[in-house]
Amino acid sequence: MSTPYLSLPGTTMLAPLPAALVSCGAENSAPNALAVAWTGVVCSHPPMVSISLKPERYSHGLIRSSGEFVVNLVDPAHARALDYCGVRSGRDEDKLAACGLTPLPVEGLRYAPMIEGMPVCLACRVIQRLSLGSHDMFIGQVESVHVRGDLADEDGSLHLERAGLVCYTHGVYQQAAEALGFFGWSVARPEALKRRFSAMGKE
């Protein structure tokens, strides 16, 4: 007998989602950061991502003014800072200073910094803003990506699994789950399976 389903009204239960610390800034304003789970890839060529913010959020005005933001992916060492930046407002305090976070300039952006120590930082320039209801979606073209040095080998190959990236599942922060496979593994040749699984630490 199959397991029955619980039927619920339409709601935002897409999970897990990246738990991102979005940094921003504007003219005559100090850098700021806020936690954003409503984020995702919207296009690969050109590379674009989206973030969705409530208009009343302080960072909404900064991003709308500057046309810039940086999506910083988070590791467990920065999970508490991520949460703090989600429950406090930049109107009231310097959240970066309160969390001991250091903003770093990004070449090509005037106002939005990346955050030192984050595993991956995607520097974006806003190309469109959509008012959707409770949230506005900012679509940003990814101008550059910055990956922390310990997550790359000398040959340039990336190992983001080393970061233990944090995700967000229905109000809970979690580490990304153990790797189960890779894109195309269901049809891969045996030698490719052996090579890729060995690289993933799965014999």
Side-chain angles (χ1 to χ4, degrees):
M1 181 177 178
S2 62
T3 303
Y5 281 83
L6 174 65
S7 294
L8 301 171
T11 187
T12 54
M13 202 172 284
L14 181 64
L17 296 166
L21 187 65
V22 173
S23 47
C24 54
E27 190 172 9
N28 301 320
S29 297
N32 189 54
L34 79 161
V36 175
W38 295 177
T39 182
V41 175
V42 296
C43 188
S44 54
H45 301 288
M48 299 180 191
V49 297
S50 69
I51 60 171
S52 292
L53 309 180
K54 291 183 177 181
E56 57 267 28
R57 297 295 296 267
Y58 176 67
S59 294
H60 182 285
L62 298 181
I63 294 172
R64 187 172 179 178
S65 172
S66 69
E68 301 173 354
F69 62 88
V70 178
V71 177
N72 304 273
L73 302 185
V74 177
D75 58 10
H78 295 96
R80 192 173 190 279
L82 168 75
D83 184 67
Y84 188 92
C85 290
V87 297
R88 300 291 190 181
S89 174
R91 290 190 184 95
D92 306 321
E93 63 177 304
D94 183 339
K95 294 190 286 184
L96 297 181
C99 294
L101 299 175
T102 302
L104 299 176
V106 179
E107 185 175 355
L109 299 187
R110 293 186 63 189
Y111 303 111
M114 55 189 277
I115 305 300
E116 184 177 28
M118 297 298 170
V120 181
C121 310
L122 294 85
C124 303
R125 192 173 302 282
V126 176
I127 61 170
Q128 190 173 2
R129 179 175 60 88
L130 302 173
S131 295
L132 302 174
S134 63
H135 288 65
D136 284 358
M137 175 186 286
F138 292 92
I139 298 176
Q141 182 164 321
V142 182
E143 301 291 335
S144 60
V145 177
H146 307 269
V147 180
R148 205 173 62 205
D150 61 310
L151 303 178
D153 291 339
E154 291 184 359
D155 62 3
S157 58
L158 300 181
H159 295 276
L160 300 186
E161 73 280 359
R162 296 175 185 168
L165 294 174
V166 175
C167 57
Y168 186 76
T169 303
H170 199 49
V172 176
Y173 302 106
Q174 300 174 319
Q175 277 188 270
E178 177 186 357
L180 302 176
F182 56 88
F183 180 75
W185 73 299
S186 62
V187 295
R189 297 188 303 275
E191 59 270 25
L193 284 174
K194 183 176 180 180
R195 182 180 69 254
R196 291 292 300 275
F197 277 129
S198 177
M200 293 163 54
K202 297 175 69 70
E203 301 296 337

